[in-house]
Amino acid sequence: MTVVKRTSSNGFLANSLNFFYSAAEEMGLEEGLTEILSRSERKLSMSIPVEMDDGTVRVFDGFRVQHSTALGPSKGGVRFHPNVCLDECEALGMMMTWKCSLAGIPYGGGKGGVCCEPLELSKKEKEKICRTWAARVEPLVGAWTDVPAPDVNTGGPEMVWFMDTISKMRNRLEPAIFTGKPIPLWGSKGRTAATGYGVATCGLELFKALDKKVEGASVSIQGFGNVGTYAALTFIDAGCKVVGISDITGTYYHKDGLDIKKAVDHVQNVHPKHLLEGFVQDGMEKLELNDVLYLDVDLFIPAALEGVVTKDNADKIKAKFIVEAANGPITSDGDAILASRGVVIVPDFLANAGGVIGSYFEWAQDLGGYFWTEEEYNERLIRIMKENFQRVWTYGKEKGVPMRKAAFMVAIERVAEAHRMRGIFL
Ligand code: NAD
């Protein structure tokens, strides 16, 4: 038997499959398991009819993909965006399987979404979309089957509408089906900072693994939103110099280190749209939007968008190390150029797993009906992030492969082992 390789006209799904096949080949994964894991267990497409505020009816396309439940309930967000389609959900669901597996948490992977432009929707229209989406997936979701969460353009309010709809349909409260809920409605303390803390923890572990002094090490961060902010605060607490930060208003650079606490205060409390625009500091330079990518630093953190480092600009990157906070910030051809120059890259699904580990903590608290302190949450998060980093680092050294491939191999092996133990029925 030879593996019949799937491909897709959707670039994201094609890329995810390529990464999977390449790691599966490197580790000598059985052909049958390669076939199984290159496909999704379930893919649901749905129509979502909505009576809009002006009385007209629009029908939106919605989706939920369960890529794998070998290790536990499928876990992954629900995205509201005009580009959402079944293939994109499948690619993202597959990445969630590897992310949860690598994180060592008891979940498989899934993803969902609705093809819509949230900026054009009123709150009432969004609520109707959420309630119909939840009703359509009701037979498939559950604390032990499929546990959705926020993703691009969804957050606490959407999770509450989902949870409320399912709870009413089942005539019992179902808090553990959705994570990312507000704290008063069975959400968890500590979630806001989790991804940024986790990203910075990976950066600090990398310095340790390479015997590089943390005190005074220089860091630049693209994107100063939720993830970038908490990563920056953690780096300065550890003694690093954050010399460059950026958001959609440009790059802010100070060779001796920026006053990060002041920048955070500016974004959170001063600027009406929570931007860096207008932030000033003595000796600081304001540079162009993309200059943050090319600063001469020890560590660069892309924490904004996907595909920012490509074959066209990888040569201009001066950082020696990169920790990927955003999902997919480096394209595969950009990755190859950086690897040939010896740049060490901590891959996204290892570095930004703090978010899904936080979801796991919320789920565990909801199932037990007993809530942790923020200190307990952070202590457990940091411990898991450090262990995961060490596992991938050691495996990569043993096998002589870069961290990205090592991470895929560790992640795939854990799912494969679950399949070997459970058998291939369903
Ligand atoms: P966010 O919306 O809070 O912040 C994004 C930041 O990026 C903003 O400061 C924005 O101004 C900036 N930005 C956007 N376009 C830019 C550009 N062209 N140049 C420079 N800056 C730009 O988002 P976030 O929650 O911090 O997420 C950032 C990335 O991390 C995303 O790729 C997201 O998918 C990923 N991620 C987030 C989480 C999480 O828990 N928030 C978990 C896993 C992965």
Side-chain angles (χ1 to χ4, degrees):
M1 173 185 164
T2 40
V3 174
V4 182
K5 286 191 180 167
R6 290 180 68 200
T7 187
S8 169
S9 54
N10 178 286
F12 196 7
L13 180 56
N15 217 28
S16 304
L17 287 165
N18 285 343
F19 274 129
F20 167 69
Y21 287 128
S22 154
E25 216 165 285
E26 178 90 34
M27 62 199 277
L29 186 68
E30 299 94 306
E31 290 178 351
L33 283 176
T34 305
E35 295 269 2
I36 290 172
L37 294 175
S38 67
R39 284 159 177 79
S40 295
E41 289 177 14
R42 275 202 189 97
K43 298 193 263 187
L44 173 72
S45 292
M46 65 185 99
S47 64
I48 303 179
V50 173
E51 185 178 347
M52 307 298 281
D53 293 349
D54 65 5
T56 59
V57 172
R58 275 187 67 188
V59 182
F60 297 89
D61 291 316
F63 310 94
R64 183 70 186 170
V65 172
Q66 297 172 351
H67 171 255
S68 170
T69 55
L71 283 167
S74 44
K75 184 88 193 85
V78 184
R79 179 174 290 200
F80 281 14
H81 193 274
N83 292 345
V84 167
C85 63
L86 191 62
D87 279 358
E88 184 189 83
C89 290
E90 185 167 23
L92 291 164
M94 186 180 262
M95 281 313 297
M96 285 305 298
T97 300
W98 313 138
K99 189 185 282 194
C100 294
S101 170
L102 188 65
I105 55 181
Y107 290 142
K111 206 77 175 191
V114 177
C115 179
C116 64
E117 175 45 88
L119 293 173
E120 293 168 1
L121 298 170
S122 69
K123 188 176 164 204
K124 199 75 217 153
E125 290 163 346
K126 269 192 231 172
E127 177 178 349
K128 288 178 183 172
I129 292 178
C130 286
R131 289 193 182 276
T132 304
W133 188 90
R136 295 274 200 239
V137 300
E138 192 277 334
L140 302 183
V141 294
W144 295 102
T145 50
D146 185 1
V147 185
D151 194 79
V152 175
N153 292 322
T154 61
E158 288 76 15
M159 298 308 117
V160 173
W161 290 321
F162 291 153
M163 177 188 79
D164 185 70
T165 306
I166 303 281
S167 298
K168 286 188 173 132
M169 288 174 79
R170 295 187 185 170
N171 200 28
R172 62 167 188 264
L173 188 67
E174 289 278 21
I177 301 184
F178 296 95
T179 59
K181 303 178 297 299
I183 291 174
L185 282 173
W186 297 67
S188 176
K189 285 182 189 152
R191 173 64 187 88
T192 313
T195 307
Y197 274 169
V199 165
T201 301
C202 281
L204 298 172
E205 287 298 293
L206 181 64
F207 285 151
K208 212 193 305 170
L210 293 165
D211 251 339
K212 159 111 195 114
K213 202 165 153 246
V214 170
E215 190 69 36
S218 56
V219 179
S220 61
I221 303 177
Q222 183 193 36
F224 208 61
N226 172 270
V227 180
T229 301
Y230 289 101
L233 285 168
T234 314
F235 279 121
I236 57 158
D237 275 353
C240 299
K241 263 189 325 188
V242 177
V243 296
I245 54 178
S246 77
D247 69 9
I248 48 165
T249 66
T251 295
Y252 300 75
Y253 172 74
H254 194 303
K255 67 177 178 24
D256 299 324
L258 291 158
D259 184 341
I260 290 299
K261 288 194 174 141
K262 193 171 164 209
V264 173
D265 180 59
H266 182 88
V267 168
Q268 292 184 347
N269 305 316
V270 177
H271 195 282
K273 290 187 175 156
H274 306 296
L275 294 169
L276 282 163
E277 187 182 37
F279 167 64
V280 282
Q281 181 185 335
D282 278 352
M284 185 197 89
E285 291 172 61
K286 170 96 192 282
L287 308 174
E288 293 300 314
L289 183 67
N290 285 333
D291 287 349
V292 71
L293 296 166
Y294 313 121
L295 296 174
D296 191 0
V297 288
D298 295 307
L299 175 63
F300 170 53
I301 310 280
L305 302 169
E306 65 282 354
V308 293
V309 181
T310 67
K311 65 176 179 2
D312 300 325
N313 66 354
D315 268 337
K316 293 188 348 199
I317 305 281
K318 297 195 193 79
K320 298 165 205 69
F321 321 118
I322 299 178
V323 175
E324 295 181 330
N327 287 314
I330 305 176
T331 60
S332 47
D333 40 18
D335 190 70
I337 295 170
L338 292 170
S340 70
R341 291 181 32 215
V343 177
V344 181
I345 301 169
V346 182
D348 48 6
F349 68 112
L350 170 61
N352 69 26
V356 76
I357 294 169
S359 284
Y360 163 52
F361 291 169
E362 182 178 336
W363 175 80
Q365 291 172 77
D366 287 350
L367 286 175
Y370 180 75
F371 291 87
W372 311 348
T373 63
E374 197 158 344
E375 289 71 33
E376 286 169 320
Y377 184 103
N378 286 335
E379 183 270 317
R380 288 169 186 171
L381 174 74
I382 301 306
R383 180 168 45 77
I384 294 178
M385 289 300 301
K386 284 184 178 176
E387 284 167 7
N388 291 347
F389 177 92
Q390 284 309 330
R391 189 176 314 124
V392 174
W393 180 260
T394 310
Y395 189 90
K397 290 283 154 226
E398 274 168 23
K399 302 282 176 191
V401 295
M403 282 196 90
R404 191 184 309 281
K405 189 162 259 182
F408 267 103
M409 291 164 74
V410 170
I412 293 167
E413 181 49 32
R414 187 164 169 251
V415 182
E417 192 51 25
H419 270 285
R420 288 184 203 111
M421 288 192 275
R422 291 180 69 164
I424 59 163
F425 169 71
L426 294 183

